[in-house]
Amino acid sequence: MTSSLATVVFVLLFITSCAGNFEEVFTDIKTEASTGSQEKAITNLVKRILTGQDSELIRIKIDPQYATHTLLKTANGSLEVSSSNAVDAAYGFNYYLKYFCKKHISWAGDNLGELPRPLPPIKTVLKLKSGVKFRYYQNVCTYSYSFVWWNWARWEREIDWMVLNGINLPLAFTGQEMIWDRIYKSLGCSDQDMNNHFTGPAYLAWGRMGNVKGIGGPLSNSWKEQQLVLQHQILTRMRSLGMIPVLPAFAGHIPQCITKIFPKANYSVLAPWSKFNCTYSCTYLLDPNDPLFRKIGAMFISEQMKEYNGTNHIYNSDVFNEMTPKSSDVEYLASTSYAVYKAMVSTDPKAIWLMQGWLFYHASWFWKDEQIKALLTAVPTGRMIILDLFAESYPLYKTTNSFYGQPFIWCMLHNFGGNLGFYGKIDHLNRDPMEAYNSDNSSMIGIGITPEGINQNYLVYELMLEIGYSLQSVDIGDWVNKFVERRYGIYNEHAAAAWQIFANTVLNDTELGKPSSKVLIRGPICKRPSLSIAGLPRWYVVNSQLAAWDHFMQALRGLPDSETVRYDLVDITRQILAFGHDKAYSLSRLQHFGDMMMDLFDDLNRILSTNPHFTLESWIHKAKSAASTKQEADLFEMNARQQITLWGENGEILDYADKHWSTLVSNYYKPRWRLFISFLVDALKKGKEFNHKKFQQQVFANVEKPFVSDRMSDDAVTSSTEDPFHVAEEIYEKWRYLLPSSKNQNYHLTKNLQEARRKRFKAIL
């Protein structure tokens, strides 16, 4: 028997003896923050959320005696929240704000203001109980698609949002490049070696996973230092609130310099990733069975523990993310997995390996039952946690016998690339997590939300977090009505009707799997034009959204001028126009419809520009603000522009991270379509076939590449001064007539206005 096979057999025997006992392992996974420090941390959170006088009405008590429930009661004009930890206490506090005070806190805007006086009473003591041990948050890609340019003020708000929604297991990946820089330089790598290795800020997620190298770089020392300071702030705050931050671990991806310094080390050159050539791809993977792997892995965890004053013992490592192992041999896969684990526990004996299960879905042709089982069961039961990353669409626990006994977290992935576009699987969210938890031999220990990008579809995420916390289904109709009431601060029947329509149509894909194309979610405006059309969504009738638009516009006159109303006003108008473009795109009467499309682009750009959450200027401003020099600001702007358009220098992942943002619409999407229409018109006039290859070359050279190379003025404003209410009304009155719904039209235009719009557009046609 070979030594490696003997190791695997030993591991499997060890696992058999430990099966079913992973709950004992998790007794070590707990906050180190004292009850007093947690009370102080959540009291400060309350002060950040509420005004001075209101915050004095909230009493928080952290005591181990409340281990099974969080208690809420009102007495003597105050709210008293008692819990065993700050996360559950924060969730209880937010529950009171939402369901008693009709207040709302979201990613992009709040409905707060002063609390009602006297405070709404809780008639009998309210008990809240979490249904699962862990509530996980973040995707490794979120750090690049959403968090990349954040400062401490934005991170502080996000951490507050996390605990208010019961999240206790967040990823904490910021600042790791400085740690890696120290380690690799201590092993002999130079500054230039690291410049060649690290990506620019917008691509760090994929550099960390070994997909790419160098793209968007170099990464300055000032950036690394600034991010390390930020990580200290993030970890300090998370820990003070009783959270368990997940740190990164070594996955084997190394800079080229290591292969020269250690020429006898066993490493492989990975295949090109996602249409990239080897300029920015073909990275190096150190074999986990090589002694150098354990050395570097131990150095990395040790350096983090020293830098961050300890650890919470859970580490994320994704060795084969969107990369194919060099062998499907089960012995190789088992020994690889065990080696990764041993590198962790050699420094932290209590280490638990958290791994995304994405690889099993992404490369299902490779990962068959025996390969998955070999990878997972080589690690002692309970010492690995699997994120069932895309469980709302492809629940892998069902096909892996609950991940062969390893604990897993049921996750909603939902979003790719931070795209904007209404979408959800509400019925699945309201059923599937409970089904997973109660399934035979279930090893489920938590729920999670793992979007690649945030600031979209907030209703879906709040629903998921509430269901996930209690692990109980809700009455969707009732829940949506209450969501609308707290989001806007008042109950409005038309606003509720609008969101009920969305919740029962576009936000409720009941089919298995996912849509066949992202175009069906974000609309065709962001896609490079072609004669190939994705078609229409199958899970809802697109025209049904017009009735929701009608209701929301009727509600508008009765809604307050709040952040949440302003955001939804833009978001709903954006959603309708994105699919209105689909109606305008027709080869018949091409020139006329082409003119209408250009008009639609202008109106879409106009409404988006009224809110800084929907502008390119906000994204670019944050990128440039993160720089320490003018040269670095230019580099960061290039990172920011390229990621959301070409992704790679030559469009390797074209439009994957597209956004419905003003200026991006007017300066990128609209010119592409204008050029496309001119090519079509020219082909029709000359009686020739459309030259798709020539169009692609010209749109890249004349629109896409120049957009990435462009630079925005430092004094560019992040939003226009136009009133979004006024703009939305004008757009509705202009376009609603052109987008008729079914026989039961409900739009509220006057007959005179309808006739005026009809005459106007007859002139165009």
Side-chain angles (χ1 to χ4, degrees):
M1 183 182 293
T2 64
S3 59
S4 58
L5 181 58
T7 299
V8 174
V9 171
F10 169 77
V11 171
L12 294 178
L13 288 173
F14 175 77
I15 291 168
T16 302
S17 68
C18 296
N21 295 324
F22 58 74
E23 284 294 342
E24 297 178 8
V25 175
F26 294 140
T27 58
D28 292 327
I29 307 303
K30 57 186 177 182
T31 179
E32 298 296 328
S34 67
T35 56
S37 62
Q38 289 186 66
E39 276 188 11
K40 181 178 179 181
I42 192 172
T43 299
N44 289 336
L45 179 151
V46 171
K47 291 178 180 178
R48 289 191 295 273
I49 299 298
L50 302 178
T51 62
Q53 289 185 333
D54 284 347
S55 65
E56 294 174 0
L57 301 178
I58 311 300
R59 304 279 187 267
I60 307 292
K61 183 178 182 180
I62 307 298
D63 193 309
Q65 69 173 302
Y66 303 106
T68 58
H69 292 83
T70 295
L71 303 184
L72 277 69
K73 67 177 182 178
T74 48
N76 302 317
S78 297
L79 170 69
E80 297 179 7
V81 182
S82 303
S83 185
S84 63
N85 63 84
V87 175
D88 288 330
Y91 183 88
F93 165 60
N94 192 34
Y95 187 94
Y96 180 78
L97 290 181
K98 292 193 296 185
Y99 286 98
F100 289 84
C101 301
K102 316 305 180 192
K103 302 298 183 182
H104 195 245
I105 300 168
S106 71
W107 278 322
D110 304 330
N111 169 47
L112 280 172
E114 294 184 354
L115 296 182
R117 298 296 177 88
L119 288 183
I122 300 175
K123 295 181 180 179
T124 58
V125 175
L126 183 62
K127 294 183 178 182
L128 301 177
K129 182 178 181 180
S130 172
V132 286
K133 184 176 183 66
F134 295 121
R135 281 87 61 190
Y136 176 82
Y137 174 47
Q138 296 170 36
N139 184 301
V140 292
C141 297
T142 324
Y143 276 83
S144 289
Y145 285 135
S146 294
F147 304 163
V148 55
W149 312 120
W150 283 7
N151 56 21
W152 169 239
R154 183 61 186 86
W155 264 111
E156 181 175 53
R157 176 182 169 83
E158 190 73 2
I159 296 169
D160 286 350
W161 175 88
M162 291 181 203
V163 292
L164 289 167
N165 285 280
I167 291 163
N168 62 1
L169 189 67
L171 208 58
F173 265 30
T174 303
Q176 63 179 282
E177 279 65 39
M178 179 56 83
I179 307 293
W180 284 122
D181 194 71
R182 290 177 192 165
I183 289 171
Y184 288 131
K185 285 180 179 176
S186 73
L187 294 172
C189 294
S190 67
D191 285 337
Q192 187 57 51
D193 291 329
M194 301 317 298
N195 286 343
N196 295 336
H197 177 66
F198 289 132
T199 70
Y203 300 96
L204 285 173
W206 303 276
R208 293 164 180 170
M209 292 185 286
N211 303 127
V212 292
K213 62 186 179 187
I215 183 172
L219 198 65
S220 70
N221 284 330
S222 63
W223 168 271
K224 297 170 202 167
E225 292 167 357
Q226 169 220 117
Q227 292 295 296
L228 185 62
V229 171
L230 191 56
Q231 174 75 336
H232 275 280
Q233 294 173 300
I234 291 168
L235 288 176
T236 299
R237 180 60 56 79
M238 286 179 173
R239 288 170 172 172
S240 72
L241 287 164
M243 305 169 86
I244 308 296
V246 178
L247 294 175
F250 184 48
H253 308 294
I254 54 175
Q256 185 179 15
C257 53
I258 293 297
T259 68
K260 297 177 180 178
I261 297 168
F262 300 94
K264 294 183 180 180
N266 185 10
Y267 65 89
S268 56
V269 180
L270 297 173
W273 177 73
S274 197
K275 299 182 182 179
F276 279 92
N277 60 33
C278 288
T279 301
Y280 293 127
S281 192
C282 306
T283 59
Y284 297 87
L285 179 66
L286 182 62
D287 192 311
N289 293 292
D290 191 289
L292 184 60
F293 186 101
R294 183 180 296 188
K295 177 180 179 179
I296 295 176
M299 289 175 67
F300 183 55
I301 289 181
S302 177
E303 187 69 18
Q304 287 188 103
M305 291 173 67
K306 181 172 66 175
E307 179 70 36
Y308 304 138
N309 191 30
T311 177
N312 294 91
H313 308 299
I314 300 183
Y315 305 91
N316 170 253
S317 178
D318 295 301
V319 181
F320 299 122
N321 183 72
E322 299 190 6
M323 295 292 184
T324 306
K326 66 180 182 181
S327 172
S328 61
D329 177 69
V330 294
E331 180 182 335
Y332 164 75
L333 294 172
S335 61
T336 295
S337 181
Y338 187 65
V340 173
Y341 166 70
K342 287 300 289 183
M344 296 180 188
V345 297
S346 65
T347 300
D348 180 3
K350 297 179 181 179
I352 293 177
W353 176 9
L354 182 141
M355 184 182 77
Q356 296 185 129
W358 177 254
L359 73 168
F360 305 136
Y361 162 75
H362 184 267
S364 57
W365 58 269
F366 176 91
W367 293 101
K368 303 303 182 184
D369 289 347
E370 58 180 351
Q371 282 76 31
I372 297 175
K373 187 174 183 179
L375 189 78
L376 299 184
T377 59
V379 175
T381 304
R383 290 294 183 179
M384 172 184 273
I385 300 173
I386 310 300
L387 299 179
D388 200 347
L389 204 72
F390 202 8
E392 82 275 21
S393 294
Y394 298 98
L396 296 175
Y397 79 89
K398 290 185 176 182
T399 58
T400 59
N401 192 25
S402 203
F403 294 101
Y404 301 102
Q406 291 289 20
F408 76 93
I409 294 176
W410 193 102
C411 298
M412 180 185 78
L413 175 53
H414 182 265
N415 179 269
F416 295 89
N419 304 144
L420 302 183
F422 286 1
Y423 182 70
K425 298 177 82 74
I426 283 179
D427 280 359
H428 283 279
L429 303 184
N430 203 29
R431 178 189 65 237
D432 294 359
M434 287 65 73
E435 180 182 285
Y437 188 78
N438 294 311
S439 62
D440 292 341
N441 301 313
S442 177
S443 56
M444 177 177 157
I445 59 168
I447 62 92
I449 56 171
T450 54
E452 287 191 351
I454 64 170
N455 289 339
Q456 39 76 30
N457 289 291
Y458 193 78
L459 179 149
V460 175
Y461 288 90
E462 183 158 313
L463 175 65
M464 177 65 228
L465 288 168
E466 283 200 22
I467 292 172
Y469 185 89
S470 65
L471 213 62
Q472 294 181 0
S473 299
V474 300
D475 180 315
I476 294 298
D478 180 63
W479 189 91
V480 170
N481 284 339
K482 291 176 179 176
F483 171 86
V484 173
E485 184 174 12
R486 63 178 174 264
R487 185 158 175 82
Y488 303 141
I490 62 171
Y491 181 78
N492 181 293
E493 62 177 349
H494 285 294
W499 283 105
Q500 289 288 357
I501 292 172
F502 290 137
N504 284 286
T505 56
V506 65
L507 299 180
N508 192 27
D509 181 359
T510 59
E511 297 182 1
L512 296 175
K514 63 183 178 65
S516 58
S517 169
K518 291 208 301 177
V519 174
L520 300 178
I521 296 176
R522 77 228 216 277
I525 66 166
C526 301
K527 182 178 182 291
R528 179 192 277 177
S530 73
L531 295 180
S532 175
I533 304 174
L536 293 173
R538 294 184 303 172
W539 73 94
Y540 75 103
V541 178
V542 174
N543 281 351
S544 66
Q545 308 305 280
L546 297 175
W549 195 20
D550 296 335
H551 277 296
F552 193 81
M553 295 309 294
Q554 282 186 271
L556 203 56
R557 297 188 181 99
L559 294 178
D561 186 0
S562 65
E563 291 179 353
T564 48
V565 173
R566 284 176 170 254
Y567 183 92
D568 289 351
L569 177 59
V570 175
D571 202 25
I572 291 172
T573 306
R574 171 207 59 74
Q575 177 71 13
I576 300 299
L577 292 185
F579 280 92
H581 173 280
D582 186 62
K583 291 177 175 293
Y585 174 34
S586 171
L587 292 180
S588 63
R589 305 175 74 183
L590 178 63
Q591 190 63 63
H592 297 304
F593 278 94
D595 290 342
M596 290 176 62
M597 285 170 58
M598 296 302 104
D599 199 21
L600 186 146
F601 273 118
D602 291 340
D603 285 334
L604 177 59
N605 194 76
R606 184 184 174 203
I607 187 66
L608 293 172
S609 70
T610 64
N611 191 300
H613 293 292
F614 295 93
T615 69
L616 176 69
E617 285 80 2
S618 293
W619 176 248
I620 299 299
H621 174 72
K622 292 170 186 173
K624 295 168 74 170
S625 297
S628 57
T629 66
K630 177 64 170 66
Q631 182 181 9
E632 190 171 55
D634 286 343
L635 178 66
F636 287 4
E637 180 168 358
M638 183 279 290
N639 271 249
R641 286 175 175 267
Q642 184 168 279
Q643 187 213 75
I644 60 175
T645 53
L646 296 174
W647 213 101
E649 289 182 353
N650 298 304
E652 286 86 350
I653 317 180
L654 182 68
D655 297 326
Y656 181 85
D658 58 56
K659 307 290 190 294
H660 295 158
W661 286 346
S662 68
T663 305
L664 189 59
V665 168
S666 61
N667 294 7
Y668 187 74
Y669 300 136
K670 179 182 176 182
R672 292 204 301 191
W673 280 92
R674 184 192 293 119
L675 182 63
F676 177 66
I677 292 168
S678 71
F679 262 72
L680 289 175
V681 170
D682 184 65
L684 289 174
K685 285 181 178 179
K686 295 178 179 178
K688 297 181 179 180
E689 289 189 5
F690 176 75
N691 191 330
H692 187 65
K693 183 177 181 181
K694 185 177 180 181
F695 167 71
Q696 286 185 314
Q697 292 171 342
Q698 288 204 16
V699 76
F700 178 79
N702 299 328
V703 179
E704 295 166 347
K705 199 67 174 176
F707 178 86
V708 173
S709 301
D710 196 13
R711 294 294 174 265
M712 191 172 286
S713 169
D714 290 339
D715 57 3
V717 295
T718 56
S719 63
S720 71
T721 57
E722 282 200 280
D723 179 8
F725 290 83
H726 176 70
V727 174
E729 284 279 6
E730 285 197 351
I731 288 174
Y732 178 79
E733 291 169 356
K734 175 178 177 179
W735 287 100
R736 184 59 183 84
Y737 166 71
L738 290 175
L739 305 174
S741 57
S742 61
K743 295 180 181 179
N744 299 318
Q745 295 183 2
N746 187 43
Y747 54 93
H748 70 273
L749 296 176
T750 64
K751 290 183 177 180
N752 290 338
L753 188 54
Q754 290 181 38
E755 184 60 29
R757 299 307 176 196
R758 184 180 295 111
K759 290 180 179 179
R760 174 180 177 182
F761 283 98
K762 277 186 177 179
I764 294 178
L765 298 175

